[in-house]
Amino acid sequence: MGASLPAFVRRPEILWSALAVAIAAAVVTVFLVVPGNSADAQVYRDPEAPIAERVEDLVGRMTIEEKVGQMTQAVVGAVDAYPGDITDLGIGSLLSGGSDALHDTPEAWAEMIDGYQRDALDTRLGIPLVYGIDAVHGNTALPGAVVFPHNIGLGAAHDPELAGRAAAITAEETRVAGVHWNFAPCVCVARDSRWGRTYESYGEDPGLAVEYAPSVVQGYQGDDLTANTSVLATAKHYVGDGGTEYGTSTTEDYLLDQGVVTLTEAELRSIHLAPFRTAVDAGVGSVMVSFSSVDLGYGPLKTHGDEYLISGVLKGELGFDGFVVSDWQGVDQISEDYAESVRTAINAGIDMVMVPFEYRTFISTLLAEVEAGRVSESRIDDAVSRILTQKFALGLFEQPYADTSGAADVGSDEHRAVAREAAAASQVLLRNEDDLLPLAGDESIYVAGSGADSLGRQLGGWSGSWQGSVEAVNEGTSILAGLEQVAPGAAITYSEDASEPIGDADVGIVVVAEDPYAEGLGDAGAGEHDMLVSDEDAAAIEAVCGEIDCVVIVVSGRPIEIEPHLDDVDALVAAWLPGSEGAGVADPLFGETPYDGRLPVSWPRLVDDEPLNVGDDGYDPLYPLGYGLQT
Ligand code: BGC
Ligand code: BGC
């Protein structure tokens, strides 16, 4: 009987040795066939291993193509045209541009981003992608999200702690939608209010950005980047973006934005570099390079190609160990020759390139540069290591997909209360004859002006779209609705152009406003935005203030030329771009909170007085830096 059984039943050791041979063969095959793959456990997949070891292990397994893929950031619309590319090219990052407000709910955003993430995980090594957006004053790409005052208003509040709380809420309302990375804060120091990005700055005094940067970075990143309430922060734009000289821009019709900063190195360091130092010390995960050029006396050099400033100063001297991202097509501006642009940018120290359209060309160009030996593999390894370090820190290898469990908190009353508090704290009272303010709340009030009932104007640029729009897409309360809410006992008549009869109103409130704009399209003189009171608003001031006691509230991203209109004005308030909570503008008007804000920029008499900064020879502003009456 026994003799008819198969050999391995009679002698089980045959089976074991056959198995052992098979296993050994498999191990050898894996070892030989998969590049960089050793028979040991995959350290990079081990959540218990230190991040540095995981990074080293992973980089050791990557091909040059996979590395260059990690350094590539594409805009969603561009990859949508080639659905296989995220997987085939191993693209490391995607972004939504300022106008890519694609979905109405956190769940719909998350579903889209999770879809791209699946494609990224479908690669040989399964490296997750990192998704970025400009949630510069709230996640405005999500209509129901709360919108905070733009930075200039937060600077007026002189309260970095409050700005940090606002940032933490923005982080929560951003990560819940599947987005991991925020292109904020701008730690720019606006030295000429004609700059279209003045409102993205905390003010002309570098001390403000120096103080705000750590608090806001901490607000975005939290104590733990893996948390569903944290996003990777970006200090931008490195360096000198707010110091460009009028007329030096060569981009389209821009005048200041993307232009040239001409300073001594000592000035550049004390004014524009200082906030990056505190942002780096606070652990900011990424830094975005500025479109502008710096001229330290040797001719202008595009910052995107400036090895001294990026590798020498930022990474070397300041010890920045996060990654450096270029700005939107910013690399292209270095040279007419694209290969030269790419080579110069990467060699200067840029780690990830916001291409964001022609990413296939970027990838093939960088690969050819490496092949030719003009970009070293060690530079590539450094770039990729920095990017992967932040991906591990974000916990993306363990939790690549969105966690929308906090979706119900988006735009909650609690979050809106903080935005209202920030709006109220940012109001600056510039004139208050006969203590007209605060109002009692039981008056008969006549309200006029283009900013009174315009959520879009009080949100400004970077709100639902790149340039923002008069017709807001975000949810919120206009200033008029805020007045009605805070003073239910007041009898309010509203007429935007002041054409309704003023009758026996006790007091007028004229809310003048700039229309929304962003970047160089908002440079004063470049287009429609000239820092002047519009004819309609000027007529409203005249009609109302010529008749009755009146308050003028200025809704703007920067000082405007108001002096010629002040003759009959009793009280004047700078409201900046207060965001979605118009009640915050009404609070101090009716004494619910004090007026406590102070000017974060000098207020010129005339637009032509710019650039105007405290300490300038012959400094003669309408209101100086730091001015603000208290109630
Ligand atoms: C801006 C950046 C922004 C990027 C992505 C650029 O035009 O300068 O501040 O983060 O676009 O939208
Ligand atoms: C994008 C912005 C970007 C800008 C730069 C816009 O189309 O939406 O994100 O900053 O272009 O020119």
Side-chain angles (χ1 to χ4, degrees):
M1 285 276 279
S4 66
L5 287 170
F8 67 81
V9 176
R10 280 177 285 127
R11 296 184 56 198
E13 62 276 27
I14 296 179
L15 180 64
W16 294 126
S17 40
L19 250 175
V21 168
I23 289 170
V27 168
V28 169
T29 312
V30 167
F31 189 72
L32 294 178
V33 172
V34 182
N37 204 346
S38 65
D40 64 354
Q42 295 180 319
V43 176
Y44 83 93
R45 292 204 174 276
D46 176 6
E48 304 303 323
I51 288 181
E53 284 174 27
R54 300 179 75 181
V55 169
E56 198 188 337
D57 176 67
L58 181 50
V59 173
R61 293 168 195 271
M62 293 169 76
T63 63
I64 186 67
E65 287 80 9
E66 287 165 338
K67 291 173 185 173
V68 168
Q70 284 303 304
M71 295 169 68
T72 306
Q73 185 182 56
V75 67
V76 273
V79 285
D80 284 347
Y82 304 96
D85 274 5
I86 294 178
T87 312
D88 296 345
L89 304 174
I91 290 172
S93 182
L94 293 181
L95 86 149
S96 285
S99 293
D100 299 320
L102 304 164
H103 302 291
D104 289 348
T105 65
E107 289 86 353
W109 270 97
E111 194 183 313
M112 174 187 77
I113 296 171
D114 281 353
Y116 296 127
Q117 191 66 290
R118 264 191 294 280
D119 293 346
L121 296 177
D122 218 8
T123 48
R124 186 179 70 96
L125 295 164
I127 305 176
L129 58 77
V130 60
Y131 199 101
I133 206 167
D134 293 279
V136 302
H137 63 145
N139 186 9
T140 69
L142 186 59
V146 62
V147 188
F148 293 94
H150 267 296
N151 287 351
I152 191 143
L154 297 176
H158 288 76
D159 190 345
E161 186 274 334
L162 176 56
R165 278 192 284 138
I169 291 171
T170 295
E172 200 179 318
E173 298 201 352
T174 303
R175 187 81 180 249
V176 76
V179 177
H180 322 112
W181 177 18
N182 190 1
F183 306 130
C186 195
V187 296
C188 38
V189 180
R191 302 290 287 179
D192 185 329
S193 292
R194 292 173 296 183
W195 186 37
R197 306 193 82 152
T198 297
Y199 63 80
E200 294 186 61
S201 165
Y202 297 108
E204 80 185 43
D205 172 5
L208 284 165
V210 161
E211 254 191 282
Y212 276 69
S215 178
V216 172
V217 165
Q218 168 70 28
Y220 286 136
Q221 298 193 160
D223 293 328
D224 175 8
L225 265 179
T226 69
N228 187 39
T229 47
S230 298
V231 287
L232 193 73
T234 310
K236 71 185 189 184
H237 308 82
Y238 186 81
V239 57
D241 53 351
T244 57
E245 197 179 319
Y246 193 84
T248 59
S249 183
T250 52
T251 304
E252 294 163 32
D253 296 328
Y254 296 10
L255 290 162
L256 294 111
D257 194 43
Q258 311 194 9
V260 181
V261 194
T262 303
L263 289 175
T264 65
E265 183 163 345
E267 289 166 332
L268 182 76
R269 284 172 174 268
S270 65
I271 299 171
H272 300 285
L273 181 69
F276 286 93
R277 194 183 289 276
T278 57
V280 168
D281 289 347
V284 71
S286 73
V287 167
M288 188 185 292
V289 180
S290 178
F291 284 122
S292 50
S293 305
V294 173
D295 185 347
L296 297 177
Y298 317 101
L301 191 59
K302 277 282 175 194
T303 310
H304 275 75
D306 197 327
E307 189 179 352
Y308 170 66
L309 289 176
I310 300 175
S311 292
V313 178
L314 176 64
K315 291 180 171 176
E317 198 183 307
L318 267 49
F320 174 61
D321 59 10
F323 67 90
V324 175
V325 64
S326 60
D327 203 346
W328 185 275
Q329 284 181 306
V331 166
D332 308 33
Q333 296 188 11
I334 296 175
S335 157
E336 304 266 282
D337 171 357
Y338 189 60
E340 183 180 9
S341 292
V342 169
R343 173 196 327 139
T344 307
I346 305 303
N347 285 336
I350 287 174
D351 302 308
M352 182 186 281
V353 173
M354 186 185 287
V355 182
F357 299 108
E358 303 294 326
Y359 57 87
R360 288 177 168 194
T361 308
F362 165 71
I363 290 172
S364 58
T365 304
L366 181 53
L367 283 172
E369 289 301 306
V370 175
E371 174 72 18
R374 288 188 289 265
V375 174
S376 71
E377 282 216 50
S378 65
R379 175 71 269 277
I380 299 289
D381 285 354
D382 171 52
V384 175
S385 299
R386 287 167 175 272
I387 293 164
L388 292 175
T389 299
Q390 298 305 322
K391 290 188 176 184
F392 282 114
L394 280 161
L396 296 178
F397 285 77
E398 284 68 56
Q399 176 61 275
Y401 296 113
D403 171 358
T404 58
S405 57
D409 292 335
V410 170
S412 67
D413 290 349
E414 213 179 291
H415 291 183
R416 289 188 186 278
V418 177
R420 176 172 173 177
E421 181 187 344
S426 69
Q427 303 301 297
V428 181
L429 182 60
L430 296 170
R431 172 188 284 204
N432 195 21
E433 281 172 13
D434 302 323
D435 289 336
L436 178 61
L437 297 181
L439 300 175
D442 57 3
E443 295 91 344
S444 154
I445 305 176
Y446 189 93
V447 179
S450 68
D453 193 23
S454 173
L455 193 53
R457 291 190 176 96
Q458 79 195 42
L459 297 174
W462 293 108
S463 301
S465 63
W466 180 41
Q467 292 294 314
S469 59
V470 171
E471 303 301 328
V473 299
N474 295 93
E475 291 164 21
T477 309
S478 72
I479 293 172
L480 178 65
L483 297 172
E484 286 162 348
Q485 188 184 323
V486 175
I492 296 180
T493 305
Y494 169 62
S495 172
E496 177 172 345
D497 61 359
S499 58
E500 296 287 319
I502 292 171
D504 55 3
D506 304 312
V507 60
I509 299 178
V510 184
V511 188
V512 303
E514 288 188 308
D515 281 352
Y517 52 79
E519 300 190 37
L521 294 175
D523 286 348
E528 297 158 30
H529 310 287
D530 47 16
M531 289 170 72
L532 302 176
V533 177
S534 70
D535 292 345
E536 294 78 5
D537 281 342
I541 295 179
E542 214 170 293
V544 178
C545 303
E547 266 324 279
I548 51 177
D549 284 352
C550 91
V551 186
V552 167
I553 298 178
V554 180
V555 170
S556 64
R558 53 188 166 193
I560 59 170
E561 195 172 287
I562 193 78
E563 193 178 26
H565 307 280
L566 287 182
D567 288 352
D568 296 320
V569 173
D570 303 283
L572 178 66
V573 174
W576 313 107
L577 299 169
S580 59
E581 307 313 305
V585 176
D587 282 331
L589 262 175
F590 294 104
E592 291 295 318
T593 59
Y595 276 106
D596 199 20
R598 285 178 287 128
L599 287 182
V601 286
S602 303
W603 197 292
R605 296 177 188 282
L606 305 169
V607 178
D608 286 345
D609 293 344
E610 291 288 343
L612 179 69
N613 294 292
V614 70
D616 289 351
D617 289 345
Y619 184 65
D620 179 30
L622 180 59
Y623 300 107
L625 177 72
Y627 187 76
L629 303 169
Q630 322 264 304
T631 55

